[in-house]
Amino acid sequence: MAGVTLTNVTKKYDEVTAVNKANLEIEDKEFLVLVGPSGCGKTTTLRMVAGLEDISSGTIEIGDTVVNDIPPKDRDIAMVFQNYALYPHMDVYNNMAFGLKLRKFPKDEIDRRVHEAAEILGIENLLDRKPKQLSGGQRQRVAVGRAIVREPKVFLLDEPLSNLDAKLRDQMRTELSKIHNRLQTTFIYVTHDQREAMTMGDRIVVMRDGFIQQVDDPITIYNHPANMFVAGFIGTPPMNFFDAKVVKEGDKYYLDGAGSFKVLIPGGFLDKAPELKDYNGKDVVFGIRPEDLKDASLNPEEANDDNSFMASVEVVEPMGSEIYLYMTVAEHSMIARVEAQSKAAVGDNVKLIVDTDKMHVFDAETEEIII
Ligand code: ATP
């Protein structure tokens, strides 16, 4: 068992800096997810931990050992790739046993490990099948099994579910979480899918353009995103952003959208982030998640001048348990997730109530969160 520590880890490919001074302390037995859009440096980070890429500068430790110069095979890690890479001519048993045979493990030890892994994965009845006789999900289990038999200190998984259809992906997601619980080993998992990150990770690392943006547990990332990028990347449909100014009227502060909305900043926000007052007259960005808006016609007693604004409906998307309204406010697109009972129709002007305790304010220039 081991944690993994990255200290100022940088990877440069000629003029591209794929990973820029990454600092990360991954705890023993943790399920850590690296997430971010294509090209943000997640795979490169994982491959450096695996030893498949040299590090341009910095150090990586696995347990107490600096592994910068240790070859992949001696790092006590096992990697599961997106494309499984099973040997087509070998049956499942031999696909799983192959790495151990190469390492000259005794036959009975190989047998014990393969059967144990097969039992964990529920594939004991498939051991004599060839990969082409397996479904996508079963192949994925074999690929995981091949990693389990190694009994590594750290599992590295690079988008292992991306070749599966949506339903199977959901199922395998739960299974991988269960396998992690059962093995009690450190998992580092790369995905571009924020839902996968939110549901699987003990902690999530959000990356962008080679830089780590935020490292936190899923709920903290969701409720307290560090900046507009994280706020917009985590959550579906994404957070709405509106240009606004902070304006002071009497002793109250508002987010003013130049006539399209004016929302009171709750007193509690000013207590928690008194610097908001310094933004008086300045540009900020108002952020509100689609689920933190309500259709005022269903909740008339909650609406008032300080917490609501009008938006025009462009598309209505009923989801069964709720409705997504694609709307515009002064030609700016936005989305609201409202109750299924909403009668809002295309072309309507609908009054929306903002759950002001859930709104966010960002610095317009740095895009960092103020509150
Ligand atoms: P994806 O989700 O598309 O796999 P990623 O977040 O895993 O993306 P990386 O594969 O780590 O991103 O790539 C990070 C950056 O480094 C990208 O700009 C990529 O083009 C660049 N890069 C990756 N590998 C190489 C390489 N071998 N040579 C040159 N540039 C590379």
Side-chain angles (χ1 to χ4, degrees):
M1 307 286 169
V4 177
T5 307
L6 277 67
T7 310
N8 283 326
V9 171
T10 295
K11 175 70 188 181
K12 289 193 170 143
Y13 297 104
D14 303 324
E15 73 280 12
V16 180
T17 305
V19 178
N20 213 325
K21 292 207 174 100
N23 286 293
L24 204 50
E25 251 178 71
I26 304 160
E27 285 163 33
D28 183 26
K29 304 187 178 67
E30 184 170 16
F31 197 132
L32 184 100
V33 180
L34 299 172
V35 69
S38 184
C40 71
K42 340 179 261 297
T43 297
T44 304
T45 304
L46 199 74
R47 289 174 61 84
M48 286 192 288
V49 175
L52 300 172
E53 295 288 347
D54 290 335
I55 302 168
S56 306
S57 60
T59 46
I60 297 183
E61 288 157 77
I62 298 179
D64 297 328
T65 312
V66 174
V67 295
N68 287 25
D69 299 320
I70 295 181
K73 68 178 177 44
D74 298 328
R75 289 194 182 195
D76 227 344
I77 50 108
M79 191 145 171
V80 180
F81 295 96
Q82 184 173 355
N83 57 8
Y84 327 143
L86 301 180
Y87 301 107
H89 57 286
M90 284 184 202
D91 62 16
V92 167
Y93 183 99
N94 283 299
N95 260 289
M96 284 164 68
F98 186 69
L100 301 180
K101 282 186 182 164
L102 274 187
R103 287 179 169 78
K104 309 242 181 305
F105 272 68
K107 207 168 168 303
D108 53 348
E109 175 67 10
I110 295 177
D111 208 46
R112 180 188 70 76
R113 290 194 186 192
V114 170
H115 279 101
E116 216 171 271
E119 194 256 324
I120 290 171
L121 295 161
I123 53 171
E124 296 129 298
N125 57 337
L126 305 176
L127 288 175
D128 53 6
R129 293 223 197 143
K130 295 274 172 57
K132 67 172 186 303
Q133 298 168 300
L134 302 173
S135 71
Q138 290 166 337
R139 269 181 229 157
Q140 186 55 60
R141 283 191 189 89
V142 178
V144 174
R146 209 163 45 177
I148 292 178
V149 296
R150 301 266 307 278
E151 299 183 356
K153 283 189 188 153
V154 182
F155 280 83
L156 305 174
L157 302 106
D158 190 1
E159 307 240 11
L161 307 184
S162 59
N163 285 342
L164 305 178
D165 66 48
K167 194 153 172 249
L168 200 51
R169 204 159 55 216
D170 286 351
Q171 195 186 330
M172 281 301 290
R173 216 162 54 193
T174 321
E175 284 199 26
L176 278 178
S177 294
K178 281 193 204 154
I179 290 167
H180 172 254
N181 285 339
R182 175 141 179 203
L183 295 176
Q184 292 286 310
T185 309
T186 313
F187 273 44
I188 310 179
Y189 187 102
V190 161
T191 180
H192 63 272
D193 180 344
Q194 56 90 24
R195 273 191 30 210
E196 238 168 70
M198 286 294 286
T199 50
M200 297 175 92
D202 293 324
R203 283 191 307 158
I204 298 176
V205 179
V206 183
M207 295 185 71
R208 178 197 199 183
D209 296 339
F211 287 97
I212 292 179
Q213 303 287 304
Q214 187 169 5
V215 186
D216 261 313
D217 65 89
I219 298 301
T220 305
I221 294 241
Y222 188 79
N223 290 329
H224 304 287
N227 55 38
M228 284 176 66
F229 175 78
V230 175
F233 189 77
I234 301 287
T236 37
M239 186 183 282
N240 298 299
F241 296 118
F242 303 95
D243 293 334
K245 267 191 197 323
V246 175
V247 281
K248 187 176 184 217
E249 289 179 13
D251 55 357
K252 291 182 173 172
Y253 288 80
Y254 292 86
L255 293 176
D256 189 331
S260 51
F261 60 84
K262 197 170 122 192
V263 180
L264 180 70
I265 301 176
F269 275 36
L270 297 164
D271 296 339
K272 269 190 248 164
E275 68 270 28
L276 256 177
K277 295 180 182 171
D278 302 335
Y279 282 86
N280 186 19
K282 292 191 184 148
D283 290 334
V284 291
V285 174
F286 163 38
I288 186 81
R289 292 200 182 276
E291 55 272 37
D292 298 328
L293 294 163
K294 280 187 195 167
D295 179 344
S297 65
L298 299 174
N299 309 275
E301 73 291 347
E302 289 180 36
N304 60 51
D305 288 347
D306 285 345
N307 72 356
S308 53
F309 63 90
M310 302 300 292
S312 133
V313 180
E314 305 244 296
V315 176
V316 177
E317 208 172 83
M319 306 296 287
S321 58
E322 58 193 355
I323 296 175
Y324 291 2
L325 299 177
Y326 293 81
M327 316 174 93
T328 52
V329 180
E331 293 176 9
H332 181 91
S333 301
M334 59 159 291
I335 306 176
R337 260 170 83 172
V338 299
E339 293 146 286
Q341 295 75 20
S342 172
K343 297 279 180 289
V346 174
D348 285 356
N349 258 327
V350 171
K351 185 185 264 193
L352 293 172
I353 305 171
V354 176
D355 184 345
T356 50
D357 287 332
K358 301 270 180 67
M359 66 190 202
H360 295 285
V361 188
F362 301 90
D363 185 301
E365 212 168 296
T366 64
E367 302 194 349
E368 298 291 314
I369 196 151
I370 304 167
I371 188 154

